[in-house]
Amino acid sequence: MDTGPPPLAGIKVLEFAGLAPGPYAGMLLADAGASVLRIDRPGAAPTADVLTRRKASLAVDLRADSAGAALVKEVVRAAGVDVLIDPFRPGVLERRGLGPDALLALNPRLVYARLTGFRRDGRYRAMAGHDINYLAVSGALSLLGRAHDTPLPPTNLLADFAGGGATLVQGILLALVARHASGRGQVVEANMVDGAAHLATFPRLMLATPLGDRGRGRNLLDGGCPYYDTYATRDGRYMSVGALEPRFFRQLVDRLAIARAWCEDRADPARWPALRRDMAAAFRRRTRAEWERVFDGSDACCVPVLDYAELRADAAREGDQRPAVALRRNPCLAVTQRPPPGPDAADASVLGQGPGVPGDGYDAEPLAPGQGADHVLESWLGWKRGRDYHVGPGGFVLDQHAGPKL
């Protein structure tokens, strides 16, 4: 099958600099082939953002009625920007004259994508927060953690990235599909509370069933069940177990060399503490590598808990970073720099197309304010520095607004 361009080739994205979920959304779009230009404050040093893959930076002063704000408006209008990502609290861009009403009037095809932590219309809308807070008020945090302990946040995966950035991208893609039919853009609003709540749909519904009605950390899938958990090995590493079905559990029992009677008693939660003790003692008898040799190729649903250092170092592990989804005809862009072709080489649509990025997705690339903007402005608009715009102490400005030139 012939390979075509990546699915979002030709899509122009303005991403206002923020932390974590907004940059993650921009990176997902860039990996799918979109041209992403991040709007930064003027400055000499790179920002704290590490999700900069395939992006360029435009450094501007965004104060209301500033030359920088005028430049952003002209880029939105003249370049026909397709997507704008607003990661700020409600009202921030509106106060700078860059809210959706102003920019959709300049470019009716614009998809104006806004991401907040709390709901824009909720009781916490004016408050600062982080992933743990959004999980807390969504209800999802109440499900996470061991029994007899406090709720435990899973780093900042669920609200910031899955409920926030990835959900925002879903909304952007839906709006682009709708624009194909209507010819018009629209405002897309996502927030991490609702995003996390949707991710928790299944466990929330299970609260009313025997699969989830025993309280946090006491159920089948939340660490309460001994055959759906992790275990330490003799060398202090870990194996994961997910042997839910009887035929899988039977293989687990046989390979662990524990009593086969557990195949009859395993469904009784009152027996779980004893089963856990037997399983923990069995796993402590061997190293993780030894257990891998025992379970590899089996259906016991038992595999090692790998860390990123060993994934990166061992070519036999599945640590090569790939696009999250493979499109057979229009693959996204590669992350891992392509290995030499060989008889066991993965299909190009799985790896992604193109040369990959330095560091293979394990090393962040700093992006300094203004880096790469000249190339993007020329490719989007045909603009050249010194003719259409200049760079002054306040960053990039249109030529008619330029002050002292650097």
Side-chain angles (χ1 to χ4, degrees):
M1 181 182 295
D2 293 336
T3 297
L8 295 185
I11 295 293
K12 305 180 186 74
V13 179
L14 280 184
E15 172 202 314
F16 283 86
L19 293 176
Y24 180 62
M27 189 185 76
L28 290 178
L29 298 175
D31 283 347
S35 176
V36 179
L37 183 60
R38 189 179 74 184
I39 306 297
D40 279 310
R41 296 176 179 175
T47 69
D49 180 17
V50 296
L51 301 172
T52 58
R53 196 159 64 217
R54 299 189 170 94
K55 299 178 186 178
S57 167
L58 181 66
V60 295
D61 178 355
L62 287 180
R63 288 175 296 181
D65 301 321
S66 69
L71 183 145
V72 171
K73 289 180 179 178
E74 183 60 13
V75 170
V76 169
R77 185 198 68 80
V81 168
D82 297 286
V83 178
L84 181 146
I85 297 176
D86 169 9
F88 302 123
R89 288 201 217 182
V92 170
L93 285 183
E94 286 84 348
R95 290 192 292 272
R96 288 157 173 75
L98 299 172
D101 290 343
L103 297 189
L104 282 165
L106 296 173
N107 177 2
R109 289 177 56 81
L110 176 67
V111 173
Y112 195 109
R114 305 198 286 194
L115 178 63
T116 57
F118 297 115
R119 289 176 172 176
R120 300 180 74 89
D121 59 350
R123 64 181 295 176
Y124 307 106
R125 61 186 178 274
M127 296 170 59
H130 284 293
D131 187 286
I132 188 172
N133 308 121
Y134 312 136
L135 283 182
V137 301
S138 77
L141 187 57
S142 70
L143 304 173
L144 306 176
R146 296 286 186 181
H148 310 298
D149 203 350
T150 59
L152 182 66
T155 187
N156 63 331
L157 292 172
L158 282 184
D160 275 0
F161 294 104
T167 299
L168 184 70
V169 169
Q170 177 183 345
I172 289 169
L173 298 179
L174 292 172
L176 290 174
V177 171
R179 189 181 75 174
H180 183 72
S182 69
R184 300 185 66 82
Q186 60 185 293
V187 176
V188 173
E189 292 188 354
N191 69 78
M192 296 170 219
V193 172
D194 289 335
H198 275 274
L199 291 169
T201 296
F202 176 79
R204 183 177 69 248
L205 296 176
M206 290 303 100
L207 291 174
T209 77
L211 289 179
D213 65 356
R214 293 172 50 80
R216 182 181 65 251
R218 297 178 174 88
N219 301 289
L220 187 68
L221 302 177
D222 62 2
C225 175
Y227 44 92
Y228 198 88
D229 208 342
T230 58
Y231 290 89
T233 57
R234 193 176 70 195
D235 55 347
R237 308 186 91 171
Y238 302 93
M239 295 291 289
S240 69
V241 174
L244 296 176
E245 291 80 2
R247 66 186 186 278
F248 300 156
F249 183 77
R250 191 174 302 113
Q251 291 195 40
L252 177 73
V253 164
D254 288 346
R255 290 169 188 261
L256 283 177
I258 61 176
R260 266 214 149 188
W262 281 121
C263 294
E264 305 301 325
D265 293 346
R266 74 186 190 115
D268 181 3
R271 299 282 288 146
W272 284 356
L275 174 55
R276 187 183 303 278
R277 286 193 294 271
D278 282 3
M279 292 178 62
F283 275 110
R284 284 195 298 267
R285 295 187 190 112
R286 301 188 185 189
T287 66
R288 197 191 73 180
E290 290 171 333
W291 282 121
E292 287 187 67
R293 289 193 288 273
V294 169
F295 286 107
D296 272 0
S298 78
D299 280 344
C301 302
C302 185
V303 296
V305 177
L306 304 175
D307 61 49
Y308 285 112
E310 61 187 314
L311 282 169
R312 183 176 189 178
D314 187 349
R317 299 293 190 186
E318 297 180 351
D320 53 320
Q321 299 299 304
R322 302 177 177 185
V325 64
L327 278 70
R328 294 296 183 183
R329 190 179 297 278
N330 298 91
C332 292
L333 298 173
V335 180
T336 299
Q337 294 184 315
R338 191 171 300 280
D344 298 323
D347 184 276
S349 63
V350 174
L351 293 173
Q353 59 180 306
V357 297
D360 296 330
Y362 285 93
D363 296 330
E365 293 186 73
L367 182 63
Q371 181 180 336
D374 293 311
H375 172 75
V376 172
L377 292 176
E378 183 171 2
S379 66
W380 284 13
L381 296 140
W383 288 359
K384 291 188 178 295
R385 186 190 293 217
R387 185 190 70 191
D388 302 289
Y389 63 91
H390 290 83
V391 180
F396 286 65
V397 294
L398 292 172
D399 187 60
Q400 60 264 39
H401 293 281
K405 300 176 182 178
L406 299 181

